[in-house]
Amino acid sequence: MDAKIAEKQGDSGLLALIGNTPTISVLRDLYPKADVRIKLESFNPGGSIKDRVAHKIIHDAESRRLITPGDELVEATSGNTGIGIAWIGRLKGYRVTIITHDKISQEKLALLKFHGANVIIMSSETPADSEDHYVKAARRYASQKGRFFCDQFYNQSNIEAHYHSTAPELWLQGGRNADIVICGVGSGGTLVGLNRYFRERGSRTKFVVADPHGSLYHSYFSGSTYMPSSWQVEGIGSNFIPGILNKEVADEVYSVNDAESFSAYGLIRRKYALDIGLSSGAVVSTAMKILEREPDKKIMCISPDSGERYLSKLQQD
């Protein structure tokens, strides 16, 4: 979120630093005809793109008088949205409970607890239609008085956060002339917000989704048969379709396996000393697949967080 927006919302100090994240060029040595830039969302004060979403959800709920300090904020998340809600909620005087699953990295779990959140861990293998699925468990937990379900998968504030902050930043950083924008899809807010902003300005930029092998999104966007399996990359992919997502926002989708994500992450770290996360590895892997076929494209990549949040998994790999 840029400084003007933050000022309008009455924010100061740390909250005013959310947004205005930089971009950096990569892969020029491997693809000299291409222009590939990564937007580094790890530069947000809470370390991920989800600071934007957490801030917007809390601000909008306060504006609608749905919450007041002392209430309990509840969210279902693979980690980063929870971390954003935890630190912003604590700063604003809220209690926070995060419902997550056992795929979460040790580092993100530690950060949630560091920021004072109560954490409940569910199984990542639970079917989406089960009452024990982590999203349904969070909704059930939040049903008691004094608790507010942030509900990133169905909350329009998620989209608005990216429409009003991530998208205009990316547009001015080269997105207006980009052939392709690549991002992963977790809740879908980033993709929907970016797509809406670009399309309203007449952009013909193609929006490409990098999806973990085994996730439902590849089948959802491409119309293919869903073949579920587990994957290690956090924050992107799903076994259910969020309410804020629609098929029209993706022009193409690439299925990326864990090995490809880890490999691309390692390439960026070794060649450029750049700390990106594993979902960013999936995004970079997708960019490289495209450039093997079309080597002269201008591509903007969204990097949601840093590799610091996955060191335990990276060391195992």
Side-chain angles (χ1 to χ4, degrees):
M1 184 175 299
D2 63 36
K4 291 182 179 179
I5 295 174
E7 185 178 351
K8 288 180 182 178
Q9 294 187 353
D11 294 327
S12 60
L14 202 57
L15 293 176
L17 299 180
I18 296 174
N20 291 317
T21 57
T23 61
I24 188 169
S25 295
V26 295
L27 302 180
R28 182 61 63 89
D29 52 334
L30 297 178
Y31 305 95
K33 296 181 179 179
D35 181 358
V36 182
R37 305 179 194 180
I38 301 178
K39 187 164 176 59
L40 299 172
E41 288 296 300
S42 60
F43 277 68
N44 282 300
S48 85
I49 194 170
K50 294 298 188 175
D51 283 357
R52 301 176 188 264
V53 176
H55 187 201
K56 182 65 172 168
I57 287 175
I58 293 172
H59 174 267
D60 288 354
E62 288 177 329
S63 298
R64 295 166 59 193
R65 301 177 186 266
L66 298 176
I67 56 174
T68 56
D71 289 342
E72 184 176 1
L73 306 178
V74 180
E75 183 59 302
T77 170
S78 62
N80 281 333
T81 304
I83 292 167
I85 289 171
W87 79 259
I88 296 172
R90 187 177 191 179
L91 186 64
K92 286 175 164 281
Y94 295 95
R95 294 173 293 125
V96 176
T97 291
I98 300 302
I99 318 292
T100 186
H101 48 68
D102 53 19
K103 196 184 291 186
I104 189 172
S105 70
Q106 296 176 20
E107 292 78 13
K108 285 199 284 191
L109 182 59
L111 280 169
L112 285 170
K113 295 179 179 180
F114 173 79
H115 289 301
N118 172 42
V119 182
I120 300 173
I121 301 177
M122 312 294 290
S123 171
S124 59
E125 301 297 325
T126 304
D129 57 357
S130 169
E131 290 302 314
D132 291 328
H133 189 267
Y134 75 107
V135 176
K136 289 189 176 182
R139 189 180 301 279
R140 187 167 60 250
Y141 179 91
S143 63
Q144 296 186 23
K145 186 177 180 180
R147 296 174 179 172
F148 175 77
F149 189 28
C150 296
D151 202 11
Q152 62 171 322
F153 298 104
Y154 292 85
N155 194 327
Q156 290 296 313
S157 295
N158 185 346
I159 297 172
E160 296 299 317
H162 297 294
Y163 177 81
H164 289 291
S165 66
T166 319
E169 290 173 24
L170 190 70
W171 181 264
L172 294 176
Q173 290 168 327
R176 73 176 90 186
N177 300 315
D179 298 304
I180 298 167
V181 171
I182 307 176
C183 64
V185 174
S187 64
T190 303
L191 177 63
V192 177
L194 292 177
N195 183 284
R196 179 177 138 202
Y197 185 93
F198 276 54
R199 294 294 178 254
E200 286 180 356
R201 282 149 187 81
S203 172
R204 300 180 66 179
T205 298
K206 180 186 292 186
F207 284 85
V208 175
V209 172
D211 194 46
H213 183 73
S215 164
L216 178 61
Y217 290 140
H218 184 270
S219 301
Y220 175 71
F221 287 119
S222 66
S224 59
T225 301
Y226 178 44
M227 300 294 290
S229 63
S230 61
W231 63 94
Q232 293 185 50
V233 175
E234 297 178 36
I236 60 173
S238 181
N239 63 356
F240 69 97
I241 302 300
I244 62 173
L245 190 61
N246 64 80
K247 290 183 178 181
E248 289 69 36
V249 293
D251 297 295
E252 197 170 3
V253 56
Y254 282 72
S255 184
V256 184
N257 64 40
D258 286 328
E260 291 170 325
S261 297
F262 277 73
S263 177
Y265 158 83
L267 172 70
I268 296 297
R269 179 178 61 82
R270 290 191 305 272
K271 289 185 71 68
Y272 311 107
L274 190 59
D275 185 25
I276 61 172
L278 291 176
S279 62
S280 309
V283 169
V284 172
S285 176
T286 298
M288 294 172 68
K289 290 180 181 182
I290 293 172
L291 292 173
E292 289 297 327
R293 188 180 71 237
E294 302 175 276
D296 60 349
K297 292 300 181 182
K298 179 171 184 177
I299 301 176
M300 306 293 290
C301 299
I302 305 297
S303 173
D305 61 7
S306 69
E308 291 179 348
R309 302 198 164 188
Y310 310 98
L311 287 177
S312 54
K313 289 189 174 184
L314 293 168
Q315 288 166 352
Q316 288 174 8
D317 179 69

